[in-house]
């Protein structure tokens, strides 16, 4: 399904929705007018039946008028209740349909992104290996190809991990195997790995020693790696990425800050939604699936913590994961 047909679907659903809603409300108004007319007719007939010379005429007429007024009030009450229920249902359906269409658009973007993300490293790895097999290369070119191949397989690996973890988390996070983790060591080792992989980048560790949290090591590793990877991905090569860990009286704070493109206020909450990527898929140049931050949020929820993003000064973003202690 192309983006165009998704838009057409949305327009069709919106038109059907408004036509139906207008029809239901018109039917309700028509029902009210018909009942009210009938009410007036009945009252007039009953009035016509009483003899004007009857000494109790005025009293009887008042009783008929009173009953007509009560009927009118009853119709208005019932009509208003129906109207409120219809409006409530309409708002509910509108939100549900919009959410569903948005989700299916995001899933579509996700499928496009994931196909690209899977195909590129496989194609690059295949080409590199074929070149290594067929040609006698100089040592430095040989090493460069191997490094490039390793980078691509690392990307493939973290992508597969994210996809697997996302489907596991959908089924509920398993928190039974939580243990004490030396967060300082874990982050230090992650920072070292990134420094080896990205030799041209400035990656600064600002890590207080021996800070422990209770949790699932693989998940925390994934959280840290996703945040550092994003910080590198969404900032220029000249921008430094700083990872810090601090402990205060009630929380352990893990912060990853960059000097990159930053995040607009409207996107600050939404980037933690599944498949959400800021900007337009057609003009976006960075690779990704919109799963990383969703997983980070899920992981933090599973560790009784929170994750949020704020602006870095003068530019960039700061992601803060806070573990309650
Ligand atoms: P992905 O990076 O695969 O698109 P994520 O879930 O990790 O998915 O991130 C969601 C979106 O949040 C990204 O598409 C990007 O627009 C934005 N984002 C994440 N991290 C940063 C960052 N450090 N700086 C600027 N934007 C970011």
């Amino acid at each position: 399904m192309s983006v165009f047909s998704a838009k057409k679907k949305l327009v069709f659903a919106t038109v059907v929705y408004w036509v139906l809603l207008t029809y239901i409300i018109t039917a309700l108004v028509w029902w009210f007018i018909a009942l009210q007319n009938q009410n007036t007719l009945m009252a007039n007939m009953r009035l016509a039946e009483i003899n004007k010379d009857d000494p109790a005429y005025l009293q009887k007429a008042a009783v008929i008028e009173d009953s007509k007024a009560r009927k009118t009030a009853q119709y208005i009450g019932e009509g208003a209740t129906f109207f409120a229920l219809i409006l409530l249902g309409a708002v509910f359906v509108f939100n549900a349909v919009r959410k569903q269409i948005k989700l299916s658009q995001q899933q579509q973007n996700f499928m496009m992104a994931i196909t690209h993300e899977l195909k590129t490293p496989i194609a690059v790895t295949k080409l590199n290996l074929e070149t290594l097999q067929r040609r006698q290369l100089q040592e430095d070119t040989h090493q460069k190809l191997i490094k490039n191949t390793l980078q691509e397989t690392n990307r493939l690996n973290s992508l597969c991990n994210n996809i697997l973890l996302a489907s596991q988390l959908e089924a509920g996070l398993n928190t039974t195997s939580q243990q004490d983790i030396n967060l300082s060591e874990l982050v230090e080792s992650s920072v070292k790995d990134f420094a080896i992989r990205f030799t041209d980048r400035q990656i600064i560790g600002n890590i207080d020693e021996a800070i422990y949290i209770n949790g699932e090591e693989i998940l925390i590793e994934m959280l840290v790696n996703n945040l550092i990877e994003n910080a590198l991905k969404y900032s220029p090569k000249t921008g430094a990425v700083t990872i810090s860990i601090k402990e205060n009286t009630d929380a352990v704070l893990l912060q990853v800050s960059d000097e990159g493109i930053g995040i607009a206020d409207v996107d600050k909450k939404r980037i933690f939604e599944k498949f959400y990527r800021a900007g337009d898929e057609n003009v976006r140049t960075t690779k990704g699936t919109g799963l990383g931050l969703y997983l980070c949020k899920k992981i933090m929820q599973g560790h009784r913590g929170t994750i949020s993003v704020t602006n870095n000064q003068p530019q960039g973003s700061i992601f803060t994961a806070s573990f309650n202690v």
Side-chain angles (χ1 to χ4, degrees):
M1 181 182 58
S2 68
V3 178
F4 180 62
S5 80
K7 267 196 188 136
K8 252 167 65 176
K9 218 169 129 184
L10 183 66
V11 170
F12 179 70
T14 313
V15 169
V16 169
Y17 172 83
W18 283 113
V19 167
L20 271 179
L21 190 62
T22 314
Y23 173 76
I24 293 170
I25 292 177
T26 314
L28 184 69
V29 172
W30 185 82
W31 165 84
F32 176 76
I33 294 171
L35 280 180
Q36 189 54 20
N37 281 345
Q38 199 186 36
N39 188 19
T40 312
L41 207 71
M42 294 285 284
N44 288 345
M45 274 168 64
R46 285 174 67 196
L47 275 176
E49 274 170 10
I50 341 169
N51 190 344
K52 285 211 170 121
D53 300 331
D54 189 339
Y57 175 80
L58 284 180
Q59 203 187 349
K60 284 183 180 168
V63 171
I64 293 171
E65 282 300 333
D66 190 44
S67 136
K68 182 186 162 193
R70 263 188 290 122
K71 279 239 152 67
T72 306
Q74 182 195 339
Y75 297 150
I76 290 177
E78 281 174 5
T81 313
F82 274 134
F83 187 67
L85 284 177
I86 288 168
L87 275 193
L88 209 75
V91 170
F92 180 76
V93 170
F94 188 73
N95 282 342
V97 170
R98 229 180 42 172
K99 225 168 141 182
Q100 197 53 43
I101 289 177
K102 231 172 59 192
L103 186 72
S104 90
Q105 256 170 347
Q106 283 177 354
Q107 273 171 343
Q108 174 67 19
N109 287 347
F110 170 71
M111 282 316 293
M112 269 159 55
I114 214 148
T115 314
H116 179 262
E117 291 281 286
L118 285 174
K119 280 180 87 169
T120 314
I122 293 172
V124 173
T125 305
K126 186 165 177 266
L127 189 74
N128 287 355
L129 289 177
E130 280 170 359
T131 312
L132 285 170
Q133 189 185 38
R134 282 197 202 134
R135 298 203 188 153
Q136 209 62 32
L137 297 167
Q138 286 192 343
E139 185 55 24
D140 58 336
T141 322
H142 187 95
Q143 285 306 327
K144 220 161 118 186
L145 275 185
I146 289 179
K147 190 180 163 200
N148 181 254
T149 311
L150 273 175
Q151 262 175 5
E152 292 300 326
T153 41
N154 272 338
R155 231 176 80 192
L156 204 56
N157 187 33
S158 65
L159 177 69
C160 290
N161 282 344
N162 274 354
I163 297 171
L164 285 177
L165 184 62
S167 55
Q168 270 171 22
L169 288 177
E170 298 285 275
L173 181 63
N174 175 18
T175 49
T176 49
S177 54
Q178 295 208 345
Q179 66 224 13
D180 270 344
I181 307 167
N182 187 334
L183 187 66
S184 309
E185 267 181 15
L186 185 151
V187 174
E188 194 82 65
S189 126
S190 251
V191 169
K192 268 194 197 137
D193 282 351
F194 274 98
I196 293 169
R197 275 172 59 196
F198 295 85
T199 42
D200 52 344
R201 302 294 305 257
Q202 196 184 351
I203 305 172
I204 305 161
N206 205 340
I207 299 159
D208 284 358
E209 264 178 42
I211 294 184
Y212 285 82
I213 58 165
N214 192 264
E216 182 107 37
E217 193 160 345
I218 294 180
L219 296 184
I220 300 298
E221 220 172 81
M222 211 158 218
L223 168 94
V224 173
N225 290 347
N226 270 321
L227 291 179
I228 302 179
E229 219 151 81
N230 276 351
L232 291 166
K233 191 159 77 173
Y234 297 105
S235 57
K237 283 209 155 74
T238 47
V241 169
T242 309
I243 300 99
S244 71
I245 303 181
K246 303 245 162 326
E247 183 164 22
N248 59 32
T249 44
D250 45 32
V252 167
L253 298 180
L254 162 74
Q255 285 196 318
V256 178
S257 46
D258 63 63
E259 298 166 0
I261 57 172
I263 297 164
D265 284 344
V266 283
D267 286 326
K268 282 200 169 79
K269 274 225 154 67
R270 301 208 57 200
I271 50 171
F272 295 99
E273 289 172 14
K274 188 155 69 163
F275 308 139
Y276 188 81
R277 305 194 72 212
D280 189 336
E281 191 69 32
N282 299 317
V283 294
R284 207 179 285 120
T285 50
T286 51
K287 298 160 187 164
T289 55
L291 267 184
L293 289 179
Y294 165 75
L295 290 178
C296 291
K297 191 177 112 190
K298 282 276 178 189
I299 291 171
M300 288 313 291
Q301 282 171 350
H303 287 81
R304 295 167 301 283
T306 55
I307 183 164
S308 59
V309 63
T310 47
N311 293 335
N312 197 5
Q313 293 307 334
Q315 66 181 68
S317 319
I318 305 177
F319 281 86
T320 306
S322 167
F323 299 88
N324 298 330
V325 287

